[in-house]
Amino acid sequence: MAGEKILIIEDEIKIARFVQLELQHEGYEVEQCQDGRTGLNTALKGNHDLIIIDVMLPSINGMEVLRRLRQTSQVPVIMLTAKDGVTDKVMALDIGAEDYVTKPFAIEELLARIRVIFKHKNHVAQSEIITVGKLKMDMNRHVVTYHDNVIDLTKKEFDLLKYLMINKNIVLSRDNILENVWKYDYIGDTNIVDVYIRYLRSKIDDKFNDKFIYTIRGVGYQLKYE
């Protein structure tokens, strides 16, 4: 399925150009940057469907680019690097990369991995609406409604509500919520979870007089609809 927009952040010009030409031949729209800072700024400003990031980059290394990118974006990322150590692969995947390709690589392998990511992304996009009672979340459009009333949420409120809705009827501990919603963005105690739960309750439960978020004493929280 061609036509998707791909950003390549790679300082080796010959490799970047080679990959760009191959991707364009496959029908993708391709943009490239040669250093980490420019690449990060381009990624944050752009509307890319996939980003390919080299680990060893000038100004900001690829792992840091990925880490900063994940603070505000969930665009799929493939790390492209000469480093093939298990530690580097684990780190990239933990930070949020979808895949990791080691140089030297066959272009056919990279193209296949890209196709897999887009196939998964398109499949998920078709089923990205979660409904709990009158509460509906469209993850693809980043919109939450209660009985057709749009609820204005910050990004972190949206992320927290999404995690609760995906795990509806499951009791989630504060540590679990902190690990999965805040990830690397926050270091501190779990009180931040309680604060954002209150924000959600004020915008949903209290505003519409309809109970969704329950406190499970000594454990954490649960989203359900009775």
Side-chain angles (χ1 to χ4, degrees):
M1 183 175 181
E4 288 91 347
K5 188 175 180 181
I6 299 177
L7 171 65
I8 303 170
I9 308 176
E10 166 65 73
D11 65 321
E12 295 186 50
I13 298 176
K14 288 184 178 180
I15 293 178
R17 183 58 177 163
F18 170 67
V19 173
Q20 179 179 16
L21 290 173
E22 290 292 333
L23 292 176
Q24 289 175 336
H25 180 72
E26 294 294 317
Y28 298 111
E29 182 181 345
V30 185
E31 188 175 4
Q32 62 164 292
C33 300
Q34 275 77 51
D35 70 88
R37 190 173 302 279
T38 302
L40 176 61
N41 291 335
T42 302
L44 293 174
K45 293 176 182 177
N47 185 27
H48 303 94
D49 298 295
L50 173 70
I51 301 178
I52 300 172
I53 306 175
D54 183 29
V55 169
M56 304 301 291
L57 291 171
S59 70
I60 302 176
N61 69 58
M63 293 293 188
E64 181 64 14
V65 171
L66 175 60
R67 189 189 70 79
R68 296 188 191 183
L69 182 64
R70 279 293 173 261
Q71 293 178 2
T72 57
S73 172
Q74 294 303 314
V75 60
V77 169
I78 294 178
M79 299 303 291
L80 189 65
T81 178
K83 302 179 71 174
D84 60 356
V86 173
T87 301
D88 294 307
K89 293 180 181 179
V90 170
M91 181 183 297
L93 296 173
D94 280 347
I95 295 175
E98 272 66 34
D99 210 340
Y100 193 111
V101 178
T102 304
K103 300 175 185 176
F105 59 89
I107 190 64
E108 292 81 7
E109 178 188 0
L110 179 60
L111 292 173
R113 290 173 184 263
I114 291 172
R115 288 193 296 270
V116 169
I117 287 175
F118 283 143
K119 182 178 179 180
H120 174 72
K121 182 180 178 183
N122 292 331
H123 173 73
V124 171
Q126 294 174 4
S127 58
E128 279 196 333
I129 294 180
I130 309 174
T131 302
V132 180
K134 295 179 181 179
L135 191 64
K136 181 184 293 185
M137 172 177 285
D138 187 330
M139 292 186 286
N140 193 38
R141 295 172 53 226
H142 215 270
V143 173
V144 177
T145 57
Y146 176 89
H147 198 53
D148 297 328
N149 296 293
V150 176
I151 302 170
D152 184 24
L153 299 176
T154 66
K155 182 183 184 303
K156 193 57 67 178
E157 290 168 352
F158 183 91
D159 292 344
L160 174 57
L161 181 61
K162 179 171 75 171
Y163 188 65
L164 292 171
M165 292 183 72
I166 288 174
N167 294 281
K168 61 183 177 181
N169 301 321
I170 298 174
V171 178
L172 302 169
S173 69
R174 289 172 178 82
D175 287 335
N176 183 280
I177 294 171
L178 192 65
E179 179 181 350
N180 286 276
V181 177
W182 272 262
K183 302 184 190 306
Y184 295 90
D185 299 347
Y186 179 80
I187 299 175
D189 60 44
T190 58
N191 288 342
I192 191 71
V193 175
D194 302 328
V195 171
Y196 273 82
I197 288 290
R198 287 200 297 271
Y199 292 161
L200 287 182
R201 280 177 169 158
S202 67
K203 293 183 176 184
I204 302 172
D205 296 40
D206 299 342
K207 182 176 181 178
F208 299 106
N209 194 29
D210 204 352
K211 185 74 171 177
F212 288 94
I213 303 172
Y214 291 79
T215 299
I216 310 301
R217 293 191 180 280
V219 182
Y221 296 99
Q222 179 185 30
L223 186 142
K224 62 180 180 179
Y225 192 74
E226 297 179 340

